[in-house]
Amino acid sequence: MLNFFLNPWMLVGLAGVLLPVIAHLLSRKKYDVVDWGAMQFLELDPSAKRKIRLEELLLLMLRMSLIAFVALAFARPWVGSGWLMGLAAVESRDIILIVDQSYSLGWESDGDGQSIHSRAIQMGREILQGLTPGDVVQIIEAREQPLALLPHSTRDHYLAKEALNELLPASGTADLVAAIQKGIQLLAASSNLRREIIVLTDLQARGWNSADTGLWARLDDSLHQSSIAPRIWIVDAAAGEEITAANFTIERLQLLREVAFVNSPINVTTKVRYTGGEGPVTRQVHLEIDGVRVDEKTIQVKLQPGGEMTVDFEHRFETVGSHVLSLVLDHDPLPGDNRAEAVVNVREAIPVLLVDGDRQPDPTRCETYFAQAAFLAGGAEHPWIIPTVIGAEELTIDRVKPFGIVILANVPTLDESLVEGLKKFVASGHTVLVTLGDRIHREDYRTTLYDVGLGLLPCRIESIANESEQQKRGVRIQNSRLDLPWLKPFRAERGGTLADARWSRWWQVTLPAAPLIQQGSPDAPVPSDQPPPDEGEAPDSAETPNVGTSITELSLTTGDPLLVTRRNGRGTVALLTSSLDADWNTLPAKQDYVPFLHELLFSLLSQSEGRNVNVGTPLILNIPAGLNVDEYEFRNPADKVVPFDKLTDPFQTAARLRNPIVPGVYRFTPKVPKPQEQSLSEEFVVNVDRQESTLTRLTDGERDTLSGDDRMKFVASVPELRKQLLSDAARAEIWWLILYVFVASLGIETWLTRRMIRPL
């Protein structure tokens, strides 16, 4: 019943119908009865008495109904009926216009060369052109996370057209169901009776998830819970066009590491796929560095229909800073998947603080001797890692501040204040690697450093394990677990010796079952239903450091973890359950020892910096000391300025773009150009899922499933949409009809009152 009122909470006013009854009961008075013989000549006959009582009852009911009519009118009742279509046609409407922004709409027709996205925008203009002056409109971009283009719904249709004209090019994927859900949420605050959601899309199956019954059940619940369920219209912007031409796709780039060094090689790998078309085709893959094509590194690949091929490139950078490395295919009808990009951060060297927990007069017996030698790479002229070694007793937070990476090597214990300082150090975007040995105090590590999962360590240490007699010379790293990009070069089939190292002792550990703190993180993605989901939106509350999931990156053949990592705020903490020296393993004697330590630190550093991320993952840039962050700005792939948040703590100032939802290259640059040596210019890449390249439209059966129970209607064009809007069952408010009844009842009540008080 309440679904037929726009303001159902006003029905509480119906309680006011009791007021006339209460007033009548309170106004009755009791009189003393005195018998008087002459009264017998003044008494009315029984029929007259009944008539008066009937009139009084009728008057009471009229007064009660007057209050009920007022309450009903304020509740704004409505009805849906064909005979009220004329009335409904002149009523204002709320329109949510959803534009599919997935890159499949970038398909260019052979006939006119116009993209489906361009047609969708033109359809949107036609829809806005046909609105009446009182209609309220909002436009939503359907991406992985829906984005409302206008600050609020508006009757200014010119403003809506301008927002439509400024839509960014189609890119990434689109969650159309999430966009419809957002439209339903926005319409919940509407005051209009007629509510429409219009989706402009190419009807590709990818964005609908028609087989996810749970997803559609939640959408149905949202519709049923609405006081007035909006009508949902799906307009085919592709006009039924079946895409059968050949399409070539370049997959996401895979980097061995995001950190590189001047004149050192960096490798990038990807796959090129070929769908549609007939017969083998030869395509060129071009390498671009910072937007400039490197012609001598173009590769030709021969592809079969439905096939793919892996391509590898190597490049050496000559200057420090962040560089955008792009692999590009020649143009085809779907340009959105012809380019893939990644950012490489080129450095001179990385300073690392080594905290030795077992300093000895003989340097060769120190805990960090082999690690220090590995980082200096045998006295190389330009080492990539510059180590500074101190004893555990020298460790203070002030000693930590100049470094981005700190290694605690077999440090016996740390006091609580130092642990708290290191936690803040990591949370501000830095890295701590803890290696174990025979000197650590087990209970201190369990209570102070682990602290039931909220401390510095990613897992709880249990006890020291030794190889058994049966395992002598047999406990090694699981070669099959070397599947992370930075570990693949160490696999045995590639000539790696990492899995040949023998481990005689290690600490057994227990990983926490799940992350203990999920929300309130400086780096936590913003939920799609948290308004507004705009790029760069800053939080409006204090942040709590986020403790992420502990991940086992290396395991021994016994099944025990060897390397465990975990995100903590903006940084990363890692635990190696054995030692860095040769006391517990033979790794320092292996050829892979030097590259393994280097790649381990590069991997941890890349995790903390996060230059190549997925849609919705915050972009965080540590700002060098002395740089005024207020003089800089973030620009999105369309070169538009987006607001960012400034993060400040005792260790590091950072700039954060909270929720990038448009895939592509983002740049952090000066607002006013400066000399190169006095400015900072950094890039990030927000990657996208390439499954949108599978151009498969909804089948007739899938469309019937989605439109079942009158959930939504599919139309082929804007004229058909207009026809359907006019011919569909109208809705009309009837509060004005109730007010007419109210006025009529008020007249009857006045006449009846005057009649009752006339002279007898």
Side-chain angles (χ1 to χ4, degrees), residues 603-615:
S603 171
L604 297 176
L605 194 63
S606 297
Q607 292 180 40
S608 297
E609 292 188 346
R611 294 303 184 92
N612 302 283
V613 302
N614 295 323
V615 170

Side-chain angles (χ1 to χ4, degrees), residues 678-714:
Q678 300 178 9
S679 67
L680 177 71
S681 182
E682 300 287 343
E683 284 81 23
F684 295 82
V685 167
V686 176
N687 288 290
V688 63
D689 187 350
R690 294 294 184 177
Q691 293 187 39
E692 187 69 23
S693 297
T694 304
L695 303 173
T696 304
R697 284 170 59 90
L698 288 170
T699 64
D700 292 340
E702 289 172 332
R703 290 174 57 171
D704 291 340
T705 299
L706 298 184
S707 59
D709 297 328
D710 203 28
R711 180 193 289 135
M712 59 182 60
K713 294 186 178 182
F714 290 83

Side-chain angles (χ1 to χ4, degrees), residues 320-544:
V320 298
S322 65
H323 297 273
V324 179
L325 188 153
S326 308
L327 296 185
V328 185
L329 294 172
D330 292 331
H331 186 80
D332 64 19
L334 184 61
D337 56 5
N338 292 344
R339 169 183 291 268
E341 295 150 323
V343 169
V344 178
N345 193 12
V346 181
R347 299 189 173 197
E348 290 282 1
I350 300 173
V352 174
L353 179 64
L354 282 167
V355 183
D356 196 318
D358 190 16
R359 296 291 291 271
Q360 300 286 340
D362 182 359
T364 63
R365 298 179 60 85
C366 290
E367 188 75 24
T368 59
Y369 172 75
F370 289 102
Q372 184 179 6
F375 292 145
L376 292 175
E381 183 179 356
H382 299 292
W384 294 346
I385 295 178
I386 301 177
T388 299
V389 182
I390 63 173
E393 68 282 355
E394 303 174 72
L395 179 62
T396 64
I397 292 302
D398 289 337
R399 293 297 301 269
V400 168
K401 287 183 178 180
F403 298 90
I405 300 177
V406 174
I407 300 177
L408 304 178
N410 202 13
V411 174
T413 186
L414 297 173
D415 61 51
E416 291 186 8
S417 62
L418 196 52
V419 172
E420 287 300 317
L422 288 174
K423 285 171 59 179
K424 294 177 181 178
F425 174 75
V426 174
S428 65
H430 300 96
T431 299
V432 169
L433 170 62
V434 181
T435 68
L436 303 180
D438 56 0
R439 291 179 54 81
I440 69 168
H441 296 170
R442 174 178 176 272
E443 293 305 318
D444 288 350
Y445 268 60
R446 288 164 64 103
T447 57
T448 304
L449 273 78
Y450 180 66
D451 188 21
V452 297
L454 298 176
L456 185 66
L457 295 182
C459 53
R460 186 178 71 173
I461 66 171
E462 301 296 349
S463 59
I464 296 177
N466 298 276
E467 61 178 351
S468 64
E469 290 298 326
Q470 293 80 9
Q471 296 170 335
K472 285 294 184 181
R473 307 185 63 81
V475 178
R476 291 176 168 81
I477 291 176
Q478 292 185 29
N479 184 68
S480 61
R481 293 295 302 272
L482 302 179
D483 49 6
L484 294 175
W486 73 275
L487 288 171
K488 286 182 178 179
F490 303 114
R491 294 179 68 96
E493 55 268 29
R494 295 193 179 186
T497 61
L498 186 63
D500 292 336
R502 181 173 62 85
W503 305 81
S504 59
R505 304 181 77 188
W506 61 93
W507 278 88
Q508 293 179 321
V509 298
T510 300
L511 273 63
L516 297 180
I517 300 177
Q518 292 285 1
Q519 303 299 331
S521 162
D523 58 339
V526 180
S528 61
D529 59 350
Q530 180 177 342
D534 198 1
E535 300 187 306
E537 178 195 6
D540 52 8
S541 60
E543 295 162 348
T544 303

Side-chain angles (χ1 to χ4, degrees), residues 33-71:
V33 178
V34 179
D35 292 334
W36 179 33
M39 285 297 297
Q40 60 180 317
F41 301 107
L42 298 177
E43 289 184 357
L44 297 176
D45 60 75
S47 61
K49 288 182 179 180
R50 286 194 299 270
K51 183 178 180 181
I52 291 175
R53 290 195 185 97
L54 183 60
E55 290 178 344
E56 288 177 343
L57 180 61
L58 180 59
L59 183 61
L60 179 63
M61 294 178 63
L62 277 172
R63 289 172 177 172
M64 294 172 65
S65 64
L66 289 174
I67 297 175
F69 291 149
V70 172

Side-chain angles (χ1 to χ4, degrees), residues 442-680:
R442 174 178 176 272
E443 293 305 318
D444 288 350
Y445 268 60
R446 288 164 64 103
T447 57
T448 304
L449 273 78
Y450 180 66
D451 188 21
V452 297
L454 298 176
L456 185 66
L457 295 182
C459 53
R460 186 178 71 173
I461 66 171
E462 301 296 349
S463 59
I464 296 177
N466 298 276
E467 61 178 351
S468 64
E469 290 298 326
Q470 293 80 9
Q471 296 170 335
K472 285 294 184 181
R473 307 185 63 81
V475 178
R476 291 176 168 81
I477 291 176
Q478 292 185 29
N479 184 68
S480 61
R481 293 295 302 272
L482 302 179
D483 49 6
L484 294 175
W486 73 275
L487 288 171
K488 286 182 178 179
F490 303 114
R491 294 179 68 96
E493 55 268 29
R494 295 193 179 186
T497 61
L498 186 63
D500 292 336
R502 181 173 62 85
W503 305 81
S504 59
R505 304 181 77 188
W506 61 93
W507 278 88
Q508 293 179 321
V509 298
T510 300
L511 273 63
L516 297 180
I517 300 177
Q518 292 285 1
Q519 303 299 331
S521 162
D523 58 339
V526 180
S528 61
D529 59 350
Q530 180 177 342
D534 198 1
E535 300 187 306
E537 178 195 6
D540 52 8
S541 60
E543 295 162 348
T544 303
N546 180 65
V547 178
T549 303
S550 296
I551 300 173
T552 300
E553 298 197 8
L554 281 176
S555 296
L556 297 174
T557 52
T558 61
D560 293 320
L562 179 62
L563 177 65
V564 182
T565 63
R566 183 178 70 183
R567 293 280 296 175
N568 191 338
R570 305 198 306 269
T572 304
V573 62
L575 175 69
L576 187 70
T577 61
S578 190
S579 62
L580 280 177
D581 61 7
D583 290 344
W584 286 14
N585 58 76
T586 63
L587 183 60
K590 298 301 177 181
Q591 182 180 351
D592 280 347
Y593 182 68
V594 172
F596 170 73
L597 286 188
H598 279 77
E599 296 301 336
L600 170 59
L601 294 194
F602 298 156
S603 171
L604 297 176
L605 194 63
S606 297
Q607 292 180 40
S608 297
E609 292 188 346
R611 294 303 184 92
N612 302 283
V613 302
N614 295 323
V615 170
T617 303
L619 309 182
I620 302 176
L621 178 67
N622 289 338
I623 305 299
L627 196 71
N628 185 0
V629 68
D630 296 328
E631 297 179 355
Y632 287 76
E633 61 191 8
F634 260 112
R635 290 185 173 270
N636 67 10
D639 203 33
K640 293 186 177 181
V641 176
V642 289
F644 66 91
D645 187 24
K646 179 180 178 182
L647 306 176
T648 304
D649 59 49
F651 296 97
Q652 185 69 61
T653 298
R656 180 187 66 181
L657 187 64
R658 183 176 181 184
N659 189 31
I661 63 174
V662 179
V665 179
Y666 287 74
R667 290 180 169 82
F668 184 80
T669 60
K671 295 178 181 178
V672 178
K674 297 181 179 182
Q676 184 175 359
E677 62 275 6
Q678 300 178 9
S679 67
L680 177 71

Side-chain angles (χ1 to χ4, degrees), residues 99 105 107-127 164 200-202 235-243 697 718:
V99 182
L105 272 82
W107 183 271
E108 299 170 352
S109 301
D110 293 334
D112 55 8
Q114 186 182 31
S115 70
I116 300 175
H117 188 253
S118 299
R119 296 182 203 163
I121 293 177
Q122 181 59 37
M123 285 180 170
R125 296 193 192 103
E126 294 176 14
I127 292 171
L164 194 63
L200 303 175
T201 178
D202 59 354
V235 184
D236 184 5
E241 179 181 358
E242 292 288 344
I243 298 174
R697 284 170 59 90
V718 173

